Amino acid sequence: MRLSLSALAIAAVLAAPAAFAQSSPSAAPSAAPAAAPKDSNPVVAVVGPYKIHMSDLQTDLQSAPAQAQQLPPDQLYQMLLSQEVDRKAVLVAALKEGLQKDPTIAQQMQDAANIKLENAYVQRQVLGQVSDATVQAQYNKQYANKPGPEQVQAKQILVQTEQQAKDIITQLNQGADFATLAQKDSIDPGAKNGGELGWFNQTEMVPAFANAVFALKPGEYTKTPVQTQFGWHVILCEGKRTAPTPKLADVQAQIKQQLGDAAVQSTLDTVRGDVKIQLFNPDGTPIAAPAAAPAAPAAP
């Protein structure tokens, strides 16, 4: 029977090599005397001068293809181990041949190392600016004790042509039921629910749609078709409200992303300011530095 394991579950198995030993047919009987404390990162193979540790397999797991995550733990272990052995064997052969001395390859190796170093520097700067404390402080500033965004509850009928939308509006003007027309004519997936869209913020919809629905009063529908990249819409506003203040857990990921983006930009601005930079056009001529903004006149 194949086990369907998430990457996290597989990582947990890899972190406990005893689990593989227990699943092996050749495992020793359980009557063996108590063993010494296990190494948390044991050597799982030696290839020439290189030792392969369990942590190497855990790192490989992060980029393993999705289908590998469906393998039984012992089979997955053997696959990752074999890949690491192959890589180290190739490395030994490449070094014996002296490929690291080839100028082109040496430059590529240096470029790869530089990228790792650059990324590590930025990550450390970001980690220093995105902490539980900074996330909490940003939440307090942006959300705490403030009302949530304005929201609308709406239904829609989505069709392919403007004329179809106009025909539907004519039927609504004559007293037709919106939900019934949505079930009959709309090509939106929500048609089976009468075109129901639920509650949403203005930023959750494309601008043309959002502008139209937020301009309606509860109970009103659009008297002219609304066009977006999805087609032609007829929209009914069912209600409006102010959303409750979101909890920290609901916006934590969003705040971390905001702080992370700001930290990256701040880091780039800082490192650029600490070094002399010259820019050139494709033909090698210097790019003129932008003119400095004129100083503001002194206050009288």
Side-chain angles (χ1 to χ4, degrees):
M1 178 178 178
R2 292 167 66 87
L3 303 178
S4 178
L5 302 176
S6 68
L8 196 58
I10 298 173
V13 173
L14 289 178
F20 290 101
Q22 292 168 0
S23 66
S24 172
S26 60
S30 58
K38 293 183 175 64
D39 185 348
S40 62
N41 188 25
V43 173
V44 293
V46 178
V47 181
Y50 299 103
K51 292 181 179 179
I52 300 172
H53 290 82
M54 182 63 70
S55 59
D56 296 318
L57 304 191
Q58 292 172 314
T59 299
D60 292 343
L61 178 63
Q62 297 176 12
S63 58
Q67 60 267 29
Q69 298 182 18
Q70 302 298 318
L71 296 174
D74 56 344
Q75 188 175 345
L76 175 62
Y77 172 81
Q78 293 297 332
M79 182 194 76
L80 295 175
L81 182 62
S82 179
Q83 289 179 349
E84 270 296 327
V85 169
D86 288 344
R87 290 174 56 190
K88 292 299 185 291
V90 170
L91 177 59
V92 170
L95 291 172
K96 281 183 179 179
E97 195 169 314
L99 288 183
Q100 72 277 17
K101 299 176 183 178
D102 180 285
T104 300
I105 295 175
Q107 185 60 55
Q108 292 171 345
M109 292 170 63
Q110 185 61 59
D111 291 343
N114 287 344
I115 291 174
K116 289 286 187 182
L117 189 60
E118 294 157 9
N119 290 340
Y121 178 83
V122 173
Q123 287 171 1
R124 288 197 177 190
Q125 299 302 311
V126 170
L127 287 175
Q129 299 180 56
V130 182
S131 64
D132 290 343
T134 58
V135 169
Q136 182 67 58
Q138 184 64 22
Y139 172 81
N140 293 342
K141 176 181 177 182
Q142 191 170 344
Y143 295 100
N145 301 317
K146 296 180 180 180
E150 292 299 314
Q151 292 186 322
V152 164
Q153 184 181 22
K155 291 180 179 178
Q156 75 158 343
I157 300 172
L158 176 64
V159 291
Q160 294 179 332
T161 70
E162 182 179 16
Q163 187 57 52
Q164 286 176 300
K166 287 181 177 179
D167 292 343
I168 287 169
I169 292 172
T170 298
Q171 295 178 64
L172 291 172
N173 292 339
Q174 295 171 351
D177 179 66
F178 195 98
T180 301
L181 291 179
Q183 292 173 341
K184 181 171 68 77
D185 298 322
S186 182
I187 60 174
D188 181 70
K192 61 183 179 181
N193 298 321
E196 184 62 57
L197 297 173
W199 292 96
F200 52 86
N201 305 339
Q202 188 160 6
T203 56
E204 294 180 88
M205 297 295 179
V206 295
F209 186 100
N211 292 339
V213 70
F214 273 83
L216 297 172
K217 295 178 181 178
E220 290 183 342
Y221 56 86
T222 50
K223 297 302 191 290
T224 57
V226 178
Q227 184 181 21
T228 71
Q229 63 266 44
F230 304 106
W232 293 87
H233 308 258
V234 180
I235 311 166
L236 169 67
C237 175
E238 299 180 280
K240 290 187 174 184
R241 71 179 184 184
T242 298
T245 302
K247 297 178 181 179
L248 174 60
D250 297 331
V251 293
Q252 189 172 36
Q254 177 182 334
I255 292 175
K256 285 185 175 180
Q257 184 65 51
Q258 292 173 350
L259 293 174
D261 291 345
V264 169
Q265 189 57 57
S266 174
T267 297
L268 296 178
D269 291 343
T270 298
V271 297
R272 276 176 169 258
D274 289 342
V275 65
K276 181 180 179 180
I277 298 174
Q278 294 178 283
L279 302 178
F280 300 87
N281 292 303
D283 63 359
T285 58
I287 295 178

